[in-house]
Amino acid sequence: MRKFVSFLTSTFALLLLVAVPKSFAENWPPIAPEDLKMTSVAEQPGAPAVILLRQETDDDTKNQEAYYERIKILTQAGLRYADIELPYDRRSFTIIAISGRTIHADGTLIKFNGKALDKVIEKAHGIKQRVKVFSLPDVQVGSIVDIRYTLSYGDRTIIAPTWDVQSDLFQKKVTFKFYPYMEEWADKQTGRSGQGVAWTPYLPKEYRPQQHVPSVVDPNTDGKTWVDMAIDNVPALVDEPYMPPEDTFRWRVSFYYTTTSKQENFWKDEGKYWNKDVDGFLSRKGGIDTALAQIIAPADTPEQKIRKIYAFISKLENRSFMREKAVQELQAQGMRFNRGADDVLQQRSGDHDDLNRLFVAMVRTAGIPAWLMRVPDRGKNLFEPYFLSPQQFDAEISIVQLDGKDMFFDPGTQFCPYGLLPWHYSSVQGQRQNAHQDTEIVTSTPPEYQQNVIKRVAVIKLADDGTENGTVAVSFDGLAGMDRRERAAQTDQAGRKKLLEDEIKEWLPGGSEVNMTNEPAWDDSTSPLVAHFDVSGPLAVRAGKRRVVPLHIFEVNDQPMFAAADRANNIYFDNPYWIVDEMHISLPQGTSAESMPTDTAVRLDYALYESKQKMEQPTTIYSMRNIVMGGMAFPKTSYKEIKDFYDKVSTGDGQQVLLKATDHAEGN
């Protein structure tokens, strides 16, 4: 999907950090004496810090966004808030001012005079974000830190902001102000036009933004309309394991510039604009007939044609998954922006949406109905029809009609297996094209546990001293294989080897040595990613004259998934999954198992856990572990049931075998 930052033609600038004007840097809000003395906050017991004041001013009439934050450090853990990360999109924004300072509890003031550095960080759900990072000076427990910065964007750009109200810290006061562009605007890209601004609040009912019109009586309004909101005592966002993306439940206000006030009309019009853009791209199909003649055969069934076209698209260069430096090198070599399917085909290269569009163009040319669907990334947010903005869509995926049934595909995601969707774009509402030259809101196919499978087999020989030597074979199937292949594509051969070896080390007892002995099929998304390893290290632990051996060696480092007694948020797994483990542990000569734990089975309507074990031979322990989570999203009212399930899983995974010397061995 071609996603524009603004409604008007954007002018992008290179990132620039300039000197902070003296008047700007010194004009800080006064500090209350009680804030200097503060040592805790009752509203968030044990909090590492508290936000005393946060201000955001967005001004589309000046093309600037100004941010200010004052934080009180309460504990040693709170010192991390001295390390500042400023998120931004450097293609669209210029950071024109950064200033900061540290104020100790005794009033001592230290200004920030350092430099900010560029960095890419990975957030929850695998989302990557570019930030500017720097550290404020001499921050101690009891200190207050002030940080302020301003983002600037192109003169012919308007950007409706989203006010992020909640934080991971309790906030004493937050204030927001937005000066929208109130003149009539027109988008040269689509021909759309509109005037005015609206917003969708995700807030308790008692909090709502207020719009103000210019006043000739008050010269401070500067003749501009503005929207503002102030909230005292904002509760902290509770961070819990396996919770939904924050954007689906945190307090926020999302603004948008209006073209119509009616939801149905808006999405109907948006569908027309998007259809026009897609059709213009797909209509440029020079060379597709020739390419198809080399890919498919006249006698192929429709499904065979789709599979062959999918395989062809999957082998093209995927710019969305290339390292940034590699993309820059290609641009220097003459790589150009794709304006149509013919460009993608000619260059054998495109970003995520380019490849999906070429796939649809080729499938249609082969005589099979196909369409595109634009979707949000559910790792970040979900589609809200009443938020009248297409900016909530992140990508385009493909829909192909086979035997009267719609099938969803995503050849634009690198290494995505045929017939599957990456979890980011599965089970989400979005806008699709249909056979009536129109669009409609539908939901993409949900993921299934059979599409995300890990199988692990360990063949281990235990030595007299409790160490083990043996082999481990791992198969990552479906989405599990796609995930490892994507990460491996970002590094070289040595890095790929280390990537898998490090993952296996995380499963095994501390101190284990792991060496991958084969070269997996990194580029073949049609088959599972299979890797083999030699492993060695400690396994059995001495207990008096006996030794204790874990039955499920891949789970020895796992902690309880849900340790808390209560739950504040809903439960959310990125994907359903299926893990099958098989262990064969040969005992030292003269050793036997004193007793075997009983088999375990736990079943829910949407989950299964099995643990089975036996003496495979007189001196070989066999154990099998099978766990399936078939669900994805659950209300917090289901927490007790889910916690009970995983508590039983943890108990089963912790089962051990007690080894003893045989009578004959004891006699010696």
Side-chain angles (χ1 to χ4, degrees):
M1 181 191 65
R2 271 123 188 90
K3 183 173 180 180
F4 297 97
V5 173
S6 65
F7 293 113
L8 303 182
T9 303
S10 299
T11 301
F12 297 133
L14 295 176
L15 182 66
L16 175 67
L17 191 62
V18 302
V20 180
K22 183 176 181 181
S23 60
F24 178 88
E26 294 179 351
N27 187 23
W28 299 98
I31 300 176
E34 59 268 26
D35 289 342
L36 284 171
K37 298 176 183 178
M38 181 188 296
T39 58
S40 63
V41 55
E43 293 84 353
Q44 190 181 3
V50 58
I51 296 176
L52 302 174
L53 176 62
R54 185 161 67 90
Q55 299 173 336
E56 177 180 338
T57 301
D58 307 288
D59 193 339
D60 259 350
T61 69
K62 293 183 178 179
N63 306 107
Q64 290 186 356
E65 299 176 358
Y67 300 88
Y68 165 73
E69 194 168 47
R70 171 169 287 168
I71 303 176
K72 172 76 176 190
I73 309 301
L74 301 176
T75 69
Q76 284 290 128
L79 295 177
R80 69 178 183 271
Y81 292 98
D83 299 323
I84 308 300
E85 296 178 346
L86 308 182
Y88 76 103
D89 180 350
R90 73 177 184 181
R91 297 172 301 173
S92 312
F93 292 99
T94 301
I95 299 182
I96 62 171
I98 292 178
S99 60
R101 63 178 190 167
T102 302
I103 307 97
H104 292 322
D106 62 3
T108 302
L109 188 151
I110 307 167
K111 293 183 179 181
F112 167 70
N113 295 314
K115 293 183 178 180
L117 302 175
D118 240 1
K119 184 180 179 182
V120 176
I121 62 171
E122 185 166 323
K123 303 178 70 178
H125 303 283
I127 303 302
K128 293 184 179 179
Q129 185 178 62
R130 184 171 293 279
V131 296
K132 273 285 186 180
V133 297
F134 62 94
S135 296
L136 293 173
D138 195 29
V139 177
Q140 305 169 10
V141 175
S143 296
I144 289 175
V145 296
D146 277 334
I147 173 64
R148 181 161 46 194
Y149 67 102
T150 299
L151 299 178
S152 176
Y153 44 96
D155 289 341
R156 293 180 57 79
T157 303
I158 54 177
I159 302 178
T162 292
W163 289 346
D164 294 325
V165 179
Q166 271 187 303
S167 164
D168 61 333
L169 298 176
F170 176 79
Q171 300 173 89
K172 289 186 66 176
K173 187 177 186 65
V174 294
T175 67
F176 298 91
K177 184 176 285 189
F178 174 38
Y179 293 100
Y181 181 84
M182 296 302 291
E183 304 296 325
E184 185 175 355
W185 53 265
D187 186 349
K188 294 181 179 180
Q189 297 282 350
T190 64
R192 289 176 299 177
S193 62
Q195 188 174 9
V197 71
W199 56 87
T200 300
Y202 304 85
L203 297 166
K205 293 182 178 180
E206 61 267 30
Y207 305 122
R208 287 294 182 269
Q210 299 294 320
Q211 181 166 321
H212 308 270
V213 297
S215 171
V216 295
V217 178
D218 183 1
N220 293 324
T221 62
D222 197 25
K224 297 187 292 189
T225 295
W226 78 96
V227 183
D228 63 10
M229 182 178 70
I231 303 179
D232 294 335
N233 302 321
V234 179
L237 201 65
V238 179
D239 185 19
E240 295 176 308
Y242 303 99
M243 60 188 248
E246 290 182 5
D247 276 358
T248 63
F249 64 91
R250 64 184 170 86
W251 293 9
R252 65 197 188 281
V253 180
S254 295
F255 288 88
Y256 54 93
Y257 282 98
T258 56
T259 58
T260 177
S261 59
K262 294 184 178 180
Q263 176 179 314
E264 181 180 352
N265 291 344
F266 177 83
W267 291 114
K268 184 176 181 180
D269 290 343
E270 276 298 318
K272 290 180 180 178
Y273 296 129
W274 177 56
N275 255 337
K276 182 180 178 181
D277 177 57
V278 171
D279 289 344
F281 193 97
L282 300 186
S283 66
R284 297 182 51 168
K285 50 185 180 180
I288 288 182
D289 285 327
T290 302
L292 278 175
Q294 299 172 354
I295 298 170
I296 63 176
D300 286 341
T301 65
E303 183 175 8
Q304 288 173 330
K305 292 177 181 178
I306 297 168
R307 283 186 177 274
K308 289 181 178 180
I309 294 170
Y310 190 91
F312 171 78
I313 299 292
S314 299
K315 293 177 182 177
L316 300 183
E317 187 174 68
N318 194 319
R319 300 176 189 175
S320 295
F321 290 84
M322 295 174 66
R323 285 172 286 178
E324 187 174 357
K325 184 177 179 181
V327 174
Q328 293 170 348
E329 292 171 351
L330 286 175
Q331 289 172 337
Q333 296 169 11
M335 179 184 73
R336 64 181 185 273
F337 177 75
N338 290 316
R339 300 184 181 277
D342 54 348
D343 285 343
V344 186
L345 185 61
Q346 182 181 358
Q347 296 193 99
R348 295 291 196 271
S349 173
D351 63 20
H352 175 277
D353 293 352
D354 290 339
L355 298 177
N356 270 286
R357 290 187 173 195
L358 178 59
F359 175 69
V360 168
M362 297 183 78
V363 171
R364 286 183 180 180
T365 304
I368 302 169
W371 304 274
L372 287 158
M373 176 179 177
R374 54 181 181 174
V375 292
D377 179 343
R378 69 175 169 90
K380 298 187 293 185
N381 62 277
L382 301 177
F383 172 65
E384 302 285 3
Y386 45 82
F387 174 37
L388 305 185
S389 172
Q391 299 299 313
Q392 52 188 316
F393 296 126
D394 292 287
E396 291 173 351
I397 57 176
S398 305
I399 303 175
V400 178
Q401 192 174 81
L402 183 63
D403 297 329
K405 180 182 177 182
D406 286 343
M407 296 182 62
F408 290 76
F409 297 90
D410 186 14
T413 290
Q414 195 172 32
F415 306 120
C416 185
Y418 174 89
L420 303 188
L421 287 178
W423 74 268
H424 292 273
Y425 309 135
S426 63
S427 195
V428 291
Q429 271 197 327
Q431 189 174 33
R432 65 158 290 177
Q433 299 176 302
N434 59 31
H436 308 293
Q437 302 298 311
D438 202 354
T439 61
E440 57 186 307
I441 304 301
V442 300
T443 302
S444 62
T445 51
E448 300 179 1
Y449 70 87
Q450 300 96 329
Q451 300 171 348
N452 184 32
V453 183
I454 299 177
K455 296 180 180 179
R456 306 180 287 196
V457 178
V459 179
I460 299 298
K461 184 175 182 179
L462 189 64
D464 289 331
D465 61 358
T467 60
E468 48 93 4
N469 281 277
T471 61
V472 168
V474 186
S475 170
F476 300 98
D477 200 359
L479 298 178
M482 182 193 76
D483 175 64
R484 274 76 180 178
R485 287 182 166 111
E486 281 184 358
R487 284 186 278 150
Q490 300 301 310
T491 184
D492 56 16
Q493 183 176 7
R496 293 193 294 267
K497 184 174 186 290
K498 185 177 186 302
L499 184 147
L500 286 186
E501 288 177 348
D502 286 348
E503 183 170 5
I504 276 62
K505 282 183 182 179
E506 290 178 0
W507 301 337
L508 300 176
S512 296
E513 296 293 328
V514 176
N515 178 49
M516 190 167 73
T517 57
N518 73 314
E519 187 65 23
W522 294 108
D523 297 327
D524 182 12
S525 60
T526 63
S527 62
L529 181 73
V530 179
H532 299 272
F533 306 86
D534 287 336
V535 299
S536 62
L539 181 63
V541 178
R542 184 171 292 280
K545 293 184 177 181
R546 292 169 168 78
R547 290 190 182 275
V548 176
V549 177
L551 273 176
H552 302 298
I553 65 173
F554 297 123
E555 310 301 322
V556 293
N557 298 318
D558 276 9
Q559 300 297 317
M561 288 181 61
F562 299 101
D566 301 307
R567 183 80 177 184
N569 300 305
N570 294 335
I571 302 98
Y572 189 84
F573 299 100
D574 292 343
N575 252 331
Y577 64 88
W578 185 8
I579 301 175
V580 181
D581 293 337
E582 183 179 321
M583 276 72 61
H584 305 263
I585 305 175
S586 298
L587 305 181
Q589 187 176 3
T591 304
S592 64
E594 189 168 75
S595 61
M596 295 294 292
T598 57
D599 294 346
T600 303
V602 187
R603 295 176 182 270
L604 299 175
D605 291 341
Y606 49 84
L608 164 71
Y609 173 76
E610 294 177 318
S611 172
K612 297 181 179 180
Q613 41 276 331
K614 64 180 181 179
M615 292 304 300
E616 188 174 36
Q617 297 174 4
T619 59
T620 302
I621 299 172
Y622 165 82
S623 66
M624 182 278 293
R625 177 183 185 270
N626 184 26
I627 183 168
V628 174
M629 171 48 70
M632 188 175 69
F634 304 89
K636 60 184 179 182
T637 52
S638 299
Y639 180 65
K640 184 179 183 303
E641 180 178 71
I642 293 174
K643 173 178 166 55
D644 181 65
F645 173 79
Y646 280 104
D647 284 348
K648 291 176 180 176
V649 170
S650 183
T651 299
D653 289 346
Q655 293 182 109
Q656 301 173 326
V657 175
L658 192 64
L659 303 183
K660 66 176 182 178
T662 61
D663 293 339
H664 176 72
E666 288 176 353
N668 291 338

